[in-house]
Amino acid sequence: MGLKPATNPDVEAATIELSIDGKSVTAKSGVSLYDVISSTGKIIPAMCYHYTFDPFGSCGMCLVMQEGKKAPVRSCTAKAAAGMIIKTEGDELFQARKKAVEKHLSVHPLDCPVCDADGHCELQDMAFRHGVTNLANAKQKFIPEDTRSPVLDFNMNRCIACAECINVCKDVLMIDALQFMKKGGFNQVVPKGDFALSCEFCGDCLAVCPVGAITNKFSKYLYKPWQMKKTTTTCNYCGDGCQMYLETKDAEVVRVTSPLSWKNKWGDRADTAKGHGGLCVRGRFGFEYIDSAARLKQPLLRKGNQLVETPWLEAMHQVVDQFSEIRRKHGPDAIAGLITARCTNEELYLFQKLMRAGFRTNQFDSSARYGHLNFVHASRHALGIGRSPNDWEDLTKAKAVILIGSNITETNPLTAVRIKEAIRVYGAQVVVIDSAVTNMAKLASHPVLITPGTEGLVIDGLVKATLELDLVDETSVKKHPLAFEALKTSVAHISLAQVASQTGMSVESLKDTAAIFAEAPRSIILCAEGIVRRPDGYQNVLKLIDLAWVTGKLDQPGCGVNTVTEEPNEQGAVDMGAAPEFLPGQALFSDQTARDRFAKAWDVTLPAANSGADLVEILSRCRSGQIRALYVIGENPLATLPASMEVRAALDRLELLVVQDPFLTDTARMAHAVLPACTSAEKDGTFTNLEGRVLRVREAIDPIGESLPDWHIMTALANALDCQWGYESSNDIQAEIMKLLPGYYNLGQPRKVVPAVDHYLSNDYTKDVGARYRASAPSDSKSQRPFALIMGQVLYHSGKMSTKAPGLITIAPNTGRLRMNPQDMERLGVGEGATVRLTSDRGSMQLAAQPDQSIAPQTCFFPEHFNEPPVKDLMSVQVDPTTGVPTFKQTRVTIEKA
Ligand code: SF4
Ligand code: SF4
Ligand code: SF4
Ligand code: FES
């Protein structure tokens, strides 16, 4: 409970004193009187108020008496002032509030028995609390329900016109999809323009609606709130790590809610910098994959051409026998493994332990290899920290943000809400540099559209502009004169005019951005897929670190270079050592002291220090026949990687392919054995989010069919391989990790990491800075093909998992269409839905085209979640020489009318 922050966190509002119910209270001047009252622990009724957005003052419930005023005042809209004498209780106030409730109920349908909000309705609570019984004369509104949206129904008969839905959408989410409209004599909430709702479908409006006026299509008329079990857990879709309540009835997942609710409308506005408690569309409406009919319920073994349901015991015997036989005949390095970063920390830890201590191989990888490891390696190399240094609060309170190569409202919508709050509440200047017209660019103070693939050149330009304009922080550079000289020499050849002509970012814009970043007291860089999942990702992160260093924004509080993670536990995968180069805790696998420590703890001899293989190398060794058995947990390389990586050929050569997954994926269809795994809703454990917070994952329902948690299956496998593991629960694994990595489970709090700036700058910096500025050239610059084809994430999906959720597919089905800039389509004479021929150096295909204003000219886009048609196969692959990250999300293409 508490006070709204001053809009500028650097300026303290004056402290004042006022009297509330006879007690002297200290508060900040100018904040809502309601907030001051609630900060004393007194909760007075308030139906249109929510601490996450500015007060609206419509319901007439938060009335208080102010000395000197005849009539009661609305405390939510009144500002606290020194010397106020306030009374919050008394018969007069009770009667006034009762009148307000009666007024709302006089036009309310009283259909509580069939209302989803029954038992979870503020109007009901208020009527009860104020003894409102004279309901016989209630007028009906007879407004037809608006059921046009795919996920939300609007029943305006129940609306009390509190505007909470409109305000959360406009103020907090900055989407502004709803409005009041006078219709049929009543003020009704309608989607903007009174069309079918077209928005991000986050459902936050539903969460704050205090009555049953907005309902969830998925759970409507199913159960009453008190019939459902509510399990607090962490979302399994992205690295934001949102907290959610999975509401279940027996084995059925009924709906997802979250801490954002009219029920907890009292809070400290400053706390929203840590998150407003809402969810995005994936978290709220993407849960149906959990109890999908397509879930695997039994193990499958290949018999001839078919996968046949087989009892667990028989399946495990066969898998263990075959792994053992292959290891006996060909040694441990005939075996490899892949795991998804959707697994829990405990499972990722166990996986690398199984590979290293069970199979005795260091050939394995996780999906963090698809990009996050570029960031981790660069950050470790320069700063000694293997993750983002800033948390959501730093991001919210930043005064300048450079968001480069990140369509953040699509990939990490709740981190995006932090940037929105930085803009709206804290007045941050935000520079969005991207090759797409992103939603964040539309809100940013400085949107910059660049030529696809030129992100690295833009960073060159920003560093150069910083030096040219002498925006350097003297203290930072004076400490490392040699490094600073080396940087100056390395960028001497860069011409801002040339950067501008190659990237499309003007010289003025480069200079402005450099100045905004350097001059703000707290500046943050956030880079994502456009950097870490593209060629030169590692070098480009290092260049961003250079920019932050010379401007003094590397180790100052609230400053730093950050990334976001697209899967829920990519950071955990790296921290748990699910990469051949790392042991748990990101200790280097080649570091003898660390090797000795883990070898002792696990009582094994570890594989040789140089024996590892990452994803690309594993596939190559599968193709060459060196690797004969592959254990794949939750990964689907066949559907993810382009044809040029020859995944099918790699899998075809295997003597044993074991896939452990909740679904029969494309890769699983090729397997010799398929083991049914649980989703995160059926197991306990933890995820580490992009801030470094370790968050609980809790079992909400029993495992579906005979599926089992991944840790359970791995433990059984390890024990059959004579490992003698005694884990009986995820907690047992956690206890082991706690011993090996003390302090890792700082549950709920982001673990602070402090960049060690000086070591690199005083040692290797001068040797390697030159290379990263030489490396810059627009990717695919030599190609004559005029369009950039980009494959990426869309808001409504996450990997392939979300495609198993019918709700999300209803909102965003696979149209199979190529999204193009409307002007490009017109120039090519291609109408909506017309077929085009798309040709890259890797091949050609025909597909329909779809106009999309968010696609920049000379660019086209296809969502990475769908393989029909297999657009991914037009992609070439480049592998980062330092980090082994394969990049395959962007290429040059020709588009012709077919
Ligand atoms: S679902 Fe989210 S984006 Fe859509 S109207 Fe409601 S609050 Fe706004
Ligand atoms: S729909 Fe709900 S939140 Fe929106 S104005 Fe009506 S009662 Fe308030
Ligand atoms: S932002 Fe990410 S973690 Fe949060 S609800 Fe959406 S998908 Fe889940
Ligand atoms: S809470 Fe103040 S008028 Fe509604």
Side-chain angles (χ1 to χ4, degrees):
M1 255 156 271
L3 313 172
K4 286 185 174 48
T7 46
N8 182 343
D10 301 319
V11 178
E12 268 286 294
T15 302
I16 53 165
E17 280 210 11
L18 60 164
S19 158
I20 294 171
D21 292 332
K23 284 202 182 127
S24 174
V25 174
T26 307
K28 295 281 177 214
S29 170
V31 301
S32 155
L33 185 55
Y34 184 91
D35 286 332
V36 180
I37 296 166
S38 55
S39 74
T40 67
K42 261 184 211 304
I43 303 300
I44 54 174
M47 288 202 297
C48 66
Y49 179 81
H50 201 286
Y51 77 103
T52 55
F53 44 81
D54 288 343
F56 183 62
S58 69
C59 74
M61 292 299 292
C62 62
L63 302 173
V64 294
M65 296 307 296
Q66 181 183 344
E67 197 170 279
K69 298 234 164 139
K70 282 198 193 123
V73 297
R74 295 178 186 217
S75 62
C76 66
T77 47
K79 294 231 183 296
M84 273 180 163
I85 299 176
I86 301 294
K87 232 175 69 183
T88 67
E89 287 157 14
D91 191 53
E92 196 184 345
L93 285 173
F94 182 85
Q95 293 305 334
R97 290 173 190 150
K98 183 174 178 181
K99 244 194 201 133
V101 181
E102 284 170 342
K103 191 171 139 251
H104 290 300
L105 280 172
S106 68
V107 284
H108 199 82
L110 303 181
D111 58 350
C112 305
V114 291
C115 178
D116 268 23
D118 182 22
H120 180 84
C121 171
E122 197 168 16
L123 185 60
Q124 225 179 38
D125 291 357
M126 288 301 133
F128 183 75
R129 200 162 141 185
H130 291 87
V132 178
T133 51
N134 54 335
L135 305 171
N137 298 326
K139 265 196 280 163
Q140 293 294 310
K141 296 189 208 162
F142 300 113
I143 299 170
E145 202 174 1
D146 179 354
T147 57
R148 293 173 292 177
S149 140
V151 293
L152 299 170
D153 288 342
F154 290 77
N155 184 336
M156 286 301 111
N157 298 295
R158 297 177 185 149
C159 176
I160 59 165
C162 70
E164 290 205 39
C165 54
I166 296 172
N167 287 336
V168 76
C169 190
K170 183 163 168 257
D171 284 3
V172 179
L173 307 165
M174 296 178 89
I175 294 169
D176 201 10
L178 300 171
Q179 66 173 111
F180 277 128
M181 187 181 265
K182 196 97 174 169
K183 274 173 72 179
F186 297 100
N187 227 2
Q188 299 183 33
V189 174
V190 293
K192 276 269 159 99
D194 202 15
F195 300 115
L197 184 63
S198 165
C199 64
E200 293 192 1
F201 297 117
C202 66
D204 279 0
C205 51
L206 161 76
V208 296
C209 180
V211 293
I214 304 180
T215 45
N216 182 332
K217 260 201 165 82
F218 298 86
S219 55
K220 200 166 141 184
Y221 301 143
L222 283 184
Y223 300 102
K224 293 290 179 188
W226 60 86
Q227 293 176 304
M228 291 183 277
K229 186 180 103 181
K230 209 168 166 178
T231 307
T232 307
T233 189
T234 305
C235 177
N236 189 24
Y237 275 120
C238 87
D240 287 359
C242 297
Q243 295 303 283
M244 55 165 54
Y245 309 128
L246 268 181
E247 299 199 22
T248 54
K249 179 82 176 61
D250 306 323
E252 187 187 359
V253 184
V254 181
R255 67 177 185 186
V256 172
T257 51
S258 75
L260 177 73
S261 157
W262 65 262
K263 281 257 181 199
N264 59 3
K265 58 176 68 210
W266 306 280
D268 188 333
R269 179 74 163 270
D271 278 348
T272 59
K274 301 187 183 98
H276 75 299
L279 295 171
C280 81
V281 59
R282 301 188 294 254
R284 199 180 298 277
F285 298 114
F287 59 87
E288 290 167 302
Y289 74 94
I290 297 167
D291 47 10
S292 154
R295 282 283 304 275
L296 288 170
K297 299 191 179 67
Q298 261 211 295
L300 306 171
L301 281 188
R302 181 159 300 281
K303 306 224 163 115
N305 277 339
Q306 284 194 316
L307 284 166
V308 179
E309 288 197 345
T310 310
W312 262 111
L313 212 56
E314 189 186 330
M316 283 302 272
H317 271 305
Q318 180 150 336
V319 166
V320 170
D321 286 352
Q322 283 186 269
F323 271 133
S324 306
E325 183 64 8
I326 288 170
R327 188 169 63 161
R328 193 183 58 75
K329 274 198 188 151
H330 307 286
D333 282 344
I335 298 172
L338 300 173
I339 190 165
T340 174
R342 290 192 201 279
C343 280
T344 62
N345 283 321
E346 294 68 26
E347 290 167 337
L348 288 154
Y349 168 83
L350 219 55
F351 173 73
Q352 59 81 37
K353 183 174 171 183
L354 172 66
M355 298 311 293
R356 287 165 170 154
F359 291 121
R360 306 292 172 99
T361 180
N362 196 35
Q363 302 178 132
F364 61 87
D365 216 342
S366 81
S367 44
R369 186 69 59 191
Y370 288 127
H372 187 52
L373 275 162
N374 266 336
F375 183 86
V376 169
H377 279 293
S379 184
R380 281 175 54 89
H381 183 62
L383 306 169
I385 52 168
R387 57 157 246 239
S388 291
N390 298 111
D391 61 15
W392 273 1
E393 188 163 4
D394 286 343
L395 190 55
T396 308
K397 294 182 176 172
K399 293 301 281 181
V401 178
I402 295 179
L403 185 68
I404 180 164
S406 173
N407 197 346
I408 198 160
T409 58
E410 306 286 303
T411 58
N412 296 75
L414 270 290
T415 300
V417 173
R418 299 301 100 229
I419 301 179
K420 291 174 185 179
E421 187 155 351
I423 295 171
R424 189 176 54 86
V425 179
Y426 294 100
Q429 304 217 66
V430 175
V431 185
V432 174
I433 303 169
D434 211 287
S435 57
V437 185
T438 66
N439 283 336
M440 192 53 82
K442 292 173 195 157
L443 302 172
S445 54
H446 295 73
V448 182
L449 190 64
I450 58 164
T451 308
T454 62
E455 288 82 359
L457 283 171
V458 166
I459 307 169
D460 290 358
L462 292 175
V463 174
K464 180 76 177 187
T466 304
L467 300 187
E468 267 191 21
L469 297 177
D470 197 18
L471 293 164
V472 296
D473 176 67
E474 289 300 322
T475 319
S476 302
V477 297
K478 271 193 182 145
K479 261 170 102 182
H480 300 285
L482 293 180
F484 188 48
E485 275 313 309
L487 176 64
K488 282 200 283 191
T489 310
S490 306
V491 300
H493 68 283
I494 294 169
S495 133
L496 290 186
Q498 206 173 0
V499 170
S501 81
Q502 285 176 292
T503 63
M505 183 167 180
S506 69
V507 171
E508 197 188 0
S509 182
L510 286 163
K511 287 182 174 174
D512 279 355
T513 305
I516 288 167
F517 185 76
E519 285 164 4
R522 288 178 306 282
S523 303
I524 282 184
I525 294 172
L526 203 151
C527 65
E529 72 279 0
I531 298 286
V532 301
R533 292 181 184 232
R534 298 287 190 273
D536 296 325
Y538 171 77
Q539 296 286 13
N540 286 339
V541 175
L542 285 175
K543 290 194 291 195
L544 288 171
I545 293 172
D546 285 344
L547 178 63
W549 164 51
V550 293
T551 49
K553 305 292 192 246
L554 211 44
D555 55 354
Q556 294 305 305
C559 297
V561 180
N562 298 266
T563 190
V564 293
T565 48
E566 286 188 20
E567 287 186 358
N569 207 17
E570 289 181 56
Q571 189 60 47
V574 180
D575 294 348
M576 290 300 119
E581 62 267 50
F582 292 130
L583 283 157
Q586 292 189 22
L588 287 178
F589 188 72
S590 55
D591 177 74
Q592 196 53 46
T593 315
R595 288 167 61 78
D596 290 347
R597 192 160 79 86
F598 284 94
K600 190 168 164 220
W602 298 335
D603 194 19
V604 290
T605 307
L606 288 175
N610 58 358
S611 66
D614 60 19
L615 171 70
V616 175
E617 184 58 26
I618 287 170
L619 291 172
S620 154
R621 291 182 190 178
C622 288
R623 279 192 300 276
S624 72
Q626 188 181 336
I627 291 173
R628 291 161 186 262
L630 187 64
Y631 184 27
V632 179
I633 303 181
E635 270 298 285
N636 189 2
L638 194 61
T640 305
L641 295 165
S644 57
M645 285 197 79
E646 299 174 283
V647 180
R648 188 173 289 279
L651 302 183
D652 260 341
R653 268 211 84 173
L654 292 169
E655 287 167 31
L656 177 63
L657 172 61
V658 180
V659 176
Q660 189 169 303
D661 203 285
F663 294 95
L664 191 63
T665 61
D666 293 350
T667 305
R669 285 178 209 282
M670 291 187 69
H672 302 95
V674 182
L675 307 177
C678 290
T679 67
S680 64
E682 300 144 75
K683 61 190 176 190
D684 289 326
T686 57
F687 289 153
T688 302
N689 82 343
L690 50 81
E691 301 168 282
R693 260 177 233 267
V694 182
L695 301 159
R696 284 256 173 225
V697 173
R698 290 188 179 85
E699 181 180 324
I701 55 168
D702 289 339
I704 300 267
E706 292 186 19
S707 66
L708 290 168
D710 289 297
W711 68 262
H712 189 123
I713 306 172
M714 283 189 274
T715 302
L717 194 52
N719 283 335
L721 293 165
D722 291 334
C723 285
Q724 293 168 356
W725 288 357
Y727 311 116
E728 287 182 1
S729 69
S730 165
N731 276 351
D732 293 343
I733 307 162
Q734 206 174 100
E736 182 170 317
I737 300 171
M738 273 176 182
K739 273 196 215 142
L740 291 165
L741 307 178
Y744 191 80
Y745 288 99
N746 191 7
L747 282 174
Q749 289 305 314
R751 283 168 307 109
K752 278 280 165 221
V753 282
V754 183
V757 175
D758 297 333
H759 180 76
Y760 176 53
L761 289 168
S762 339
N763 291 283
D764 293 340
Y765 187 87
T766 49
K767 271 187 268 152
D768 64 28
V769 63
R772 51 185 172 258
Y773 292 94
R774 273 198 303 277
S776 295
S779 53
D780 306 316
S781 59
K782 291 195 191 85
S783 171
Q784 295 307 307
R785 303 191 184 279
F787 284 86
L789 165 65
I790 297 171
M791 291 193 77
Q793 187 176 354
V794 297
L795 168 65
Y796 307 104
H797 289 289
S798 169
K800 307 279 185 286
M801 191 172 82
S802 59
T803 64
K804 302 284 191 299
L808 296 178
I809 285 292
T810 309
I811 299 170
N814 179 19
T815 60
R817 290 182 173 191
L818 184 71
R819 299 192 198 170
M820 290 182 67
N821 178 276
Q823 281 82 44
D824 284 341
M825 286 179 70
E826 203 182 325
R827 197 167 41 77
L828 294 175
V830 174
E832 179 168 355
T835 306
V836 293
R837 170 167 292 281
L838 188 63
T839 308
S840 76
D841 291 348
R842 290 278 162 191
S844 187
M845 69 175 57
Q846 292 195 2
L847 73 173
Q850 174 77 37
D852 186 335
Q853 289 289 0
S854 71
I855 307 297
Q858 304 229 284
T859 312
C860 56
F861 177 88
F862 196 82
E864 65 187 12
H865 319 284
F866 303 108
N867 281 339
E868 286 157 23
V871 175
K872 73 172 173 60
D873 292 337
L874 297 180
M875 297 289 175
S876 305
V877 180
Q878 281 185 41
V879 180
D880 191 286
T882 312
T883 62
V885 168
T887 51
F888 49 90
K889 296 291 184 188
Q890 187 173 308
T891 195
R892 303 296 306 182
V893 289
T894 312
I895 303 177
E896 304 150 283
K897 195 172 169 183

